Structures are given as C-alpha cells and as structure tokens.
C-alpha cells in the first residue's frame, strides 16, 4: 500500500483534486483526478469495481458518442445522465467484450481493466489522442502509469536516460512508438492494447484507419452533405463540458470549420463562442517563407465580423513571451524533450487565456488535414498507379488553376515524386530547396555522436525516411502520418499542458467515426476538378471570407526571431553550460551552435533557395537547447 501511496503522490500534479488507491485481487490501483472537463466527471469515483466475477479498473479521458455506447451496453438514458465515462466504459467492456467494443468505441482516453474471472489485465489507449500510458516489467511485477514519474515512485526503477532515443529525436526519427526517453520504461502506443495473464505482456494494435471500408455516394453533393452531418456530430460531442468550450481559431480551413460548427451550440446556451487567435507580437518584421502568411489575425477577424452574434473573437499576441516560458514546468510534466521548442509559447498563451475565462476545454483543428481538410495530393499518383492516363492528363491540366503550374510541372510536383527512387527524390527536393533534404538543415546534433549510436542505421531499420518521400495513395499517407509512432508524443504533451493550465484540448476533426469515413471517401473528392482540399472548400464555400480560400498556408510562431532575440542572453548562458559539461557537449555541434549565437542576426534572416540559415536558427538552435534543458532536468542540473 505504501508503494501505491508513493505513486499517487508522484501523480498528484496530474490530478490534484482527488486521489484514491485500492487493491482489487492481485492488482493495486492508483487514481488521481481533476474535474471540470465533462458534466459527468463530478460523479467519478475510481477505481471502479463492478462486483464479483466482473471487471474493475481505472479510466482517464473522455468518451465520444456516449448514447450509442450505452445502447450497446444495455444502459438506460436516465442512468446515463449521471454515469461518468469510467463506469460507462467498464460496463460496456463487461457487457459486450473488448473485441466488439474495440471496433466501435470512440474518444480520447486510456484505461486499465482487470477481469476477475479470467485474471487478465488489459491496458489500452484510444486511436487518436488518449491519455498516456507507460509501463515497466520485470520478473516480479508489471507496473503501468500515466507518466514515468509514477513508475519511478515505486522506488526500485533506475532513472536512466535512453541515449538512443535522444539521438533519434535530434534527427526527427520517431518510428519506435514504444520507446520512451528512459531505459526500462516502455510506452503503450495509440490504438494499442496491452494484455497480461500474469506472464510476459503482449501488445497489439486494434485499430487502423487504412482498413476503413470504401465509401460510395451517388453525387459530389452527397459527400458534402454527409461530411456536414459527421462534422456536426463530432463537434456536438466535443461541446460536452460544464462550461462552453473555447475554440482555437486560425486563418485555416480546419479550425474555422470547427468554430462555425460549434458556435450554434454556444448560442443555444445564450453565449457567443469564445474564439482565440494567436497573432505576432508588435515589432515583428514580417519575414516569412513564400506562399505562407504569418499573421492569422486579419482572416480570423474577418470571419468573426461575418458572425458578430455567434463569435466572441480575441487576438492573443503573447506579449513578452519567449521560448523558455513554462519550459521548466513542461520538462517536469511532459518528461520528454519538446520537439518544437520554439513553437510552444503561443499555445501556452491561448490556453492561459481560455483558463482566465473559465473555459476548461478548447476546441482545435488537430489532424484535420487527414480528415475533412485533406488536400488530396495523392490523387495523381493513384491515377498513375491504376493506369488511368487520360484521367491523369485531365487532372494535371486542371492543376494550372492552382496558380504556378503548367501541365508538366504539375505532374512533376504532384504525381511523379511518389514513384521516384529514393536517391532521385533526394536530388529532387535538394534542387527545390526543401529544408527536409538533409537532417543537418534543421538539427545541430554532433554527427560523431549520432554515428556512435548507429542512429542512421537504426533509422533505416525502423523505416524512417529523412526525405519524407510522399506515398502513392491517400490510404498510405494516412497510415504513415497516423501510425502510432507519429502520434506517440502527443498524449504526454497534451496531458502536461492540461495539468499546467487546467485546459483540455479536443479535436473534433479527429473523431474516430469522422476519420474512418474520410479514409473511405474517394481521393478525387478531396481534389475535385483540380481544387486542393476540395471537400472542405465545398462545405465552407458560402460560410467563410474569401481570404480563407487562397492557397497560402499559415506559419505558426512567425515572430520567432523577435522572441528568441529577447532570449539570446539565456540561450548563450545555456550554451556555456553545455560546453562546461563534456558529456552534454558531445551530443551537439558546438562550433556551429556557437557560431549561430555569436552572429545572431538583427532581423529575421531571409529565406533563400538552398539556404538553411532561417531553419537552423529557429529549429536547430531551439531543438538543441530544449533537448539539453530536458537532459539537465533529468540529471538535476537545471538552474
């Protein structure tokens, strides 16, 4: 029991309102809870025990489509009103069994379930952005927790960095979904289930969107109509909160579609939907890459102006914030390096603004580009794969409307790269000036350090493609991006931010039913008549300002140079600390890092073809310093 109490104490930062420990059969359970995210979580009291011969367990997160799940589990509508998600999930698990439940259950959650009859322990994570689960096993026990700190609290698990994971992260190789940044601690990936009958646990994947059935509807308009229905349904579920959620509103199609779908539900409560937009800080010099825009404010303001009775719009400039804001807290709560260290300040600012208004849930457009706002870029490759050359010629001709392509260049950019041998594709993107043509364009890792750990051989073994050659079909693309390794870091990051600010992200565009439907829709519907993102554009045609329909993409943290310049003294101090520590210094290209900081430009550097200076300053410098800060935190060396 004392071990369980220590685990509860370590996990209190992620559940400060209520904690409870209990032993059910051979299993010890620890539950730490913070509420305010669903109307039913005031009824939570875990661990849940359904009685003799049934299941018991703990649950974290939230379910979608509760009414449908209740019908499957034989639960009445009246009982459902006061039933927390934990009880609903375990009742469904007990009634219909996991095999049937796994095919339908939707939400962002994790659960640990003990079946008293079979003596089987099951731990599982939802397909998209559930609450994290990590575990440690040895000959005596299997221990599972939300974060590594919960496992370290047991007392006999050594806290040792996994040096290979550090090296992999510096070249953006995330292909080992089960690997954490600590030796002897593994991760349960998204859409996976861990089971143990007392011996060595087994892990398998139970959900993959690439197997979704094909969707065939009678007309183009029918796809739009059905997409509206599914979006509305997903947003309605996402609005389930004691206080009306806020919404993260950008200048893009995904978050704007979510916000407009959510606003009527806020109006039903007599409220306007609180929409928060990150904008650059005053003094930003406006330098951005081609075909991008860095200030999302004007577009979002136009949208709010169209719907003054539905949207309460606020622009958040994150004044005075820099890349180090909340970094120490995130190291403690996330227990992993933040991969995009220079791109966090504005997210913290929006969450802080939402919390100030008492909004504990924030809607976002996460993974929209894999569902409703998918750009359809694999359509040409699919036509070529099927030998539909006449259709491919028509498709390439229509691409002239995108703005900068002729027929030949359209084929070159949109279709042929998927079929190029890797060396040819590497040459292709190097000529195009793409920053992804070499890891050294965005990383300041020491090549000798990487070689000493066989980093590149391991990346090849794991199937990591540093050049990101595009796949040949939309299903392959979704399978690649939605692979567990691609989502591996998000649950812990979201939990850390939730624990830090008291606000939970919800992404309606990642709803399981919506994702499965989009995966089955013909790719042509997303690139109809040469229009990228055709489905969402047709859905929103008369609902958004004209600016939303151009082909520019928003750039997050566009004012990074202004903020990093303000942080320059601390960055130099951190570099000095790195140099003073031989083990730390061996991980990074110290000469290049020092040269970049000593010659820090007065303004945002221009972006030129074949010149990686812009990206090395923003991504390389911040990633190196952020990784070093995390390592120092683990070693107890941070100031």
């Amino acid at each position: 029991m004392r071990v369980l109490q220590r685990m509860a104490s370590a996990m209190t930062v992620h559940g400060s309102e209520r904690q409870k420990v209990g032993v059910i059969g051979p299993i010890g359970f620890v539950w730490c809870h913070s509420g305010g995210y669903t109307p039913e979580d005031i009824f939570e009291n875990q661990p849940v025990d359904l009685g003799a011969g049934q299941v018991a367990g703990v649950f974290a997160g939230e379910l979608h489509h509760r009414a449908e799940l209740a019908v499957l589990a034989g639960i009445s509508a009246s009982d459902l009103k006061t039933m927390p998600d934990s009880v609903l999930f375990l009742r469904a698990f007990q009634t219909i069994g996991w095999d049937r439940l796994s095919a339908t259950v939707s939400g962002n959650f994790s659960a640990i379930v003990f079946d008293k009859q079979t003596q089987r322990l099951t731990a599982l994570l939802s397909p998209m952005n559930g609450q994290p689960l990590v575990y440690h096993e040895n000959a005596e026990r299997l221990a599972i927790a939300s974060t590594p700190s919960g496992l370290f609290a047991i007392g006999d698990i050594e806290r040792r960095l996994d040096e290979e994971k550090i090296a992999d992260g510096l070249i953006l190789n995330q292909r080992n979904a089960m690997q954490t940044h600590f030796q002897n601690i593994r991760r349960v990936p998204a859409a996976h289930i861990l089971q143990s009958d007392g011996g060595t646990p087994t892990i398998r994947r139970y959900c993959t969107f690439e197997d979704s059935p094909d969707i065939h509807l009678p007309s183009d308009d029918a796809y739009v109509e059905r997409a509206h229905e599914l979006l509305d349904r997903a947003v309605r579920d996402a609005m389930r909160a004691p206080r009306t959620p806020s919404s993260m509103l950008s200048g893009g199609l995904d978050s704007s579609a979510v916000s407009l779908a959510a606003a009527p539900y806020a109006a039903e409560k007599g409220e306007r939907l609180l929409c928060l937009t990150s904008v650059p800080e005053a003094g930003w010099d406006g330098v951005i890459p081609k075909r991008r825009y860095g200030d999302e404010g004007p577009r979002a303001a136009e949208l709010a102006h169209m719907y003054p009775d539905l949207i309460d719009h606020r622009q958040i400039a994150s004044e005075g914030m820099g890349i180090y804001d909340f970094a120490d807290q995130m190291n403690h709560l996330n227990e992993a390096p933040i991969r995009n260290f220079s791109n966090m300040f504005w997210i913290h600012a929006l969450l802080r603004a939402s919390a100030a208004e008492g909004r504990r849930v924030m809607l976002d457009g996460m993974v929209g580009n894999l569902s409703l706002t998918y750009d359809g870029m694999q359509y040409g490759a699919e036509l070529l794969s099927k030998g539909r050359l006449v259709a491919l010629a028509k498709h390439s001709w229509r691409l002239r409307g995108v703005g900068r392509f002729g027929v030949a260049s359209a084929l070159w950019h949109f279709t042929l790269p998927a079929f190029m041998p890797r060396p040819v594709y590497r040459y292709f993107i190097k000529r195009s000036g793409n920053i992804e043509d070499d890891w050294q364009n965005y990383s300041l890792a020491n090549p000798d350090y990487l070689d000493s750990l066989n980093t590149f051989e391991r990346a090849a073994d794991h199937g990591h493609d540093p050049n990101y050659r595009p796949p040949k079909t939309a299903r392959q693309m979704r399978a690649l991006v939605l692979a567990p390794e691609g989502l591996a870091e998000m649950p812990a990051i979201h939990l850390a931010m939730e624990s830090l600010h008291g606000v939970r992200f919800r992404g309606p565009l990642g709803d399981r039913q919506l994702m499965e439907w989009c995966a089955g829709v013909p790719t042509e519907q997303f690139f109809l008549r040469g229009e990228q993102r055709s489905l969402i554009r047709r859905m929103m045609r008369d609902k958004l300002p004209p600016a939303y329909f151009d082909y520019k993409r928003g750039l997050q943290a566009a004012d990074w140079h202004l903020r990093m310049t303000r942080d320059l003294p601390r960055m130099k101090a951190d570099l000095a600390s790195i140099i003073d520590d031989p083990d730390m210094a061996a991980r990074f290209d110290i000469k290049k890092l020092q040269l970049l900081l000593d010659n820090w430009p007065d303004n945002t550097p221009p972006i030129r073809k074949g010149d990686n200076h812009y990206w090395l300053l923003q991504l390389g410098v911040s990633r190196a310093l952020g990784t070093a800060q995390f390592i120092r935190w683990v070693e107890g060396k941070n100031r």
Side-chain angles (χ1 to χ4, degrees):
M1 204 63 152
R2 283 179 294 181
V3 170
L4 299 181
Q5 293 287 357
R6 289 201 301 270
M7 294 180 73
S9 178
M11 296 300 296
T12 298
V13 292
H14 298 293
S16 58
E17 293 180 10
R18 283 178 283 164
Q19 298 83 38
K20 189 176 178 182
V21 301
V23 177
I24 301 175
I27 309 299
F29 288 101
V30 176
W31 176 60
C32 298
H33 177 72
S34 290
Y37 301 110
T38 71
E40 300 82 12
D41 64 20
I42 60 172
F43 304 109
E44 288 286 7
N45 184 24
Q46 301 187 46
V48 176
D49 188 347
L50 297 186
Q54 300 192 73
V55 299
V58 287
F59 176 97
E62 62 213 17
L63 295 170
H64 297 163
H65 314 304
R66 278 169 45 99
E68 295 177 11
L69 191 57
V71 170
L72 290 175
I75 298 168
S76 69
S78 57
D79 287 344
L80 187 63
K81 290 181 181 178
T82 57
M83 183 174 291
D85 285 0
S86 60
V87 176
L88 174 58
F89 180 84
L90 287 169
R91 286 274 299 272
F93 193 104
Q94 175 69 46
T95 303
I96 66 176
W98 172 246
D99 288 343
R100 187 178 173 194
L101 180 61
S102 66
T104 58
V105 68
S106 180
N108 301 319
F109 62 87
S110 62
I112 303 174
V113 183
F114 177 61
D115 188 322
K116 300 177 191 174
Q117 187 171 10
T118 64
Q119 295 290 291
R120 172 176 290 177
L121 183 72
T122 297
L124 56 98
L125 202 66
S126 57
M128 292 303 298
N129 187 38
Q131 302 282 312
L133 285 177
V134 294
Y135 69 96
H136 171 82
E137 60 168 317
N138 57 31
E140 299 176 355
R141 65 165 180 259
L142 169 65
I144 308 172
S146 294
T147 62
S149 59
L151 298 178
F152 291 132
I154 294 173
D156 59 1
I157 303 174
E158 187 176 358
R159 191 185 186 96
R160 286 187 296 156
L161 280 171
D162 188 321
E163 203 67 46
E164 289 185 353
K165 182 67 172 179
I166 295 292
D168 290 348
L170 289 172
I171 65 165
L172 302 188
N173 173 20
Q174 309 295 327
R175 300 299 294 178
N176 190 341
M178 295 178 60
Q179 189 177 19
T180 74
H181 283 84
F182 298 98
Q183 296 183 32
N184 301 318
I185 293 182
R186 309 292 282 170
R187 177 187 290 116
V188 179
H192 276 65
I193 177 172
L194 176 151
Q195 291 184 314
S196 174
D197 296 313
T200 301
T202 61
I203 293 184
R204 61 182 173 85
R205 187 172 184 178
Y206 68 85
C207 173
T208 172
F209 295 111
E210 60 190 294
D211 295 331
S212 300
D214 291 338
I215 303 295
H216 299 289
L217 299 180
S219 67
D220 295 338
D221 290 342
Y223 288 101
V224 172
E225 182 178 351
R226 181 57 176 157
H228 273 300
E229 292 171 357
L230 290 169
L231 173 62
D232 182 74
R233 189 181 188 191
V235 169
R236 182 177 67 240
D237 260 24
M239 295 295 285
R240 182 170 67 100
R243 181 78 189 277
T244 302
S246 61
S247 185
M248 183 186 295
L249 178 61
S250 72
L253 292 166
D254 37 24
S255 65
S256 58
V258 168
S259 297
L260 287 187
Y265 291 106
E268 290 177 0
K269 298 182 178 181
E271 302 178 29
R272 293 189 299 161
L273 182 71
L274 176 62
C275 292
L276 304 172
T277 302
S278 174
V279 297
E281 187 175 352
W284 172 52
D285 55 24
V287 176
I288 52 174
K290 290 181 179 179
R291 295 182 291 276
R292 305 292 289 269
Y293 60 92
D295 187 352
E296 315 238 23
R299 295 185 185 214
E302 279 189 63
L303 176 60
H305 183 72
M306 288 180 65
Y307 302 95
D309 297 330
L310 292 177
I311 293 178
D312 176 12
H313 185 226
R314 316 279 178 85
Q315 297 193 23
I316 309 298
S318 316
E319 290 91 349
M321 295 183 68
I323 65 173
Y324 286 100
D325 281 84
F326 299 107
D328 292 334
Q329 296 97 315
M330 287 296 291
N331 282 328
H332 175 58
L333 295 169
N334 183 53
E335 300 185 67
I338 299 298
R339 181 168 52 177
N340 295 320
F341 191 55
S342 63
N343 191 36
M344 297 298 294
F345 64 87
W346 66 271
I347 304 175
H348 289 301
L350 293 191
L351 291 172
R352 191 168 57 177
S354 183
E357 296 289 334
R359 314 303 175 102
R360 301 291 300 277
V361 173
M362 174 178 279
L363 307 183
D364 63 38
M366 182 180 173
V367 303
N369 57 355
L370 301 174
S371 59
L372 287 182
T373 63
Y374 167 50
D375 58 17
M377 294 296 288
Q378 277 65 46
Y379 182 52
E382 288 183 8
L383 291 175
L384 183 56
S385 294
K386 297 174 182 177
R388 297 178 57 190
L389 301 183
V390 174
L392 176 59
K394 291 180 179 179
H395 170 66
S396 300
W397 179 262
R398 288 167 176 158
L399 285 178
R400 296 177 306 146
V402 173
R404 65 184 191 278
F405 297 105
V407 175
S409 61
L411 277 169
W412 183 251
H413 284 85
F414 291 92
T415 301
L416 297 180
F419 299 89
M420 294 177 181
R422 292 189 187 279
V424 176
Y425 182 68
R426 177 179 172 81
Y427 175 78
F428 165 72
I429 60 173
K430 195 174 186 68
R431 286 291 303 272
S432 70
N434 194 317
I435 68 160
E436 296 169 344
D437 67 343
D438 195 303
W439 65 271
Q440 290 179 313
N441 281 346
Y442 49 78
S443 175
L444 288 167
N446 181 351
D448 293 336
Y449 165 73
L450 299 177
D451 288 341
S452 71
L453 294 166
N454 300 314
T455 306
F456 300 106
E457 291 85 348
R458 190 168 53 256
D461 290 342
H462 289 159
H464 172 62
D465 179 7
N467 305 129
Y468 302 97
R469 183 178 57 171
K472 296 177 182 178
T473 70
R475 287 184 181 271
Q476 290 175 0
M477 182 277 298
R478 288 190 177 91
L480 178 66
V481 180
L482 290 175
E485 54 267 20
L487 301 172
E489 296 180 356
M490 293 310 299
I493 292 175
H494 281 193
L495 177 61
M497 289 183 169
E498 178 183 315
S499 301
L500 180 58
H501 299 289
V503 178
R504 176 177 293 175
F505 282 117
R506 281 189 194 152
L509 298 183
D511 174 79
R512 179 175 180 176
Q513 294 182 8
L514 177 62
M515 291 290 297
E516 289 176 339
W517 182 81
C518 289
V521 168
T523 307
E524 181 182 14
Q525 287 296 319
F526 297 96
F527 215 146
L528 198 63
R529 290 180 283 277
E531 182 181 52
Q532 295 179 58
R533 307 186 193 277
S534 175
L535 183 59
I536 191 67
R537 287 170 180 271
R538 286 177 285 146
M539 290 174 64
M540 308 305 294
R541 185 71 69 197
D542 300 322
K543 298 178 174 64
L544 297 174
Y548 275 83
F549 296 99
D550 67 19
Y551 285 96
K552 290 184 177 181
R553 293 171 51 209
L555 181 67
Q556 297 173 348
D559 55 351
W560 62 268
H561 177 268
L562 183 155
R563 298 175 189 276
M564 290 181 71
T565 300
R566 188 161 52 224
D567 286 336
L568 189 58
R570 180 165 179 181
M571 291 194 294
K572 289 184 175 181
D574 277 0
L575 174 58
S577 297
I578 292 173
I579 294 173
D580 288 341
D581 183 338
D583 291 334
M584 184 75 80
R587 297 180 175 104
F588 305 103
D589 189 331
I590 297 299
K591 289 183 178 179
K592 188 180 291 185
L593 184 54
Q594 184 145 32
L595 185 66
L596 289 169
L597 292 185
D598 287 346
N599 296 278
W600 191 263
D602 294 332
N603 299 294
T604 307
I607 302 150
R608 302 186 182 96
K609 183 176 179 179
D611 182 358
N612 66 351
H613 196 55
Y614 179 98
W615 304 108
L616 265 184
L617 287 174
Q618 182 195 6
L619 303 178
V621 169
S622 64
R623 187 167 291 132
L625 297 179
T627 301
Q629 187 185 65
F630 166 73
I631 295 171
R632 284 199 302 269
W633 172 78
V634 172
E635 296 175 344
K637 297 178 180 178
N638 274 347
R639 293 184 297 273

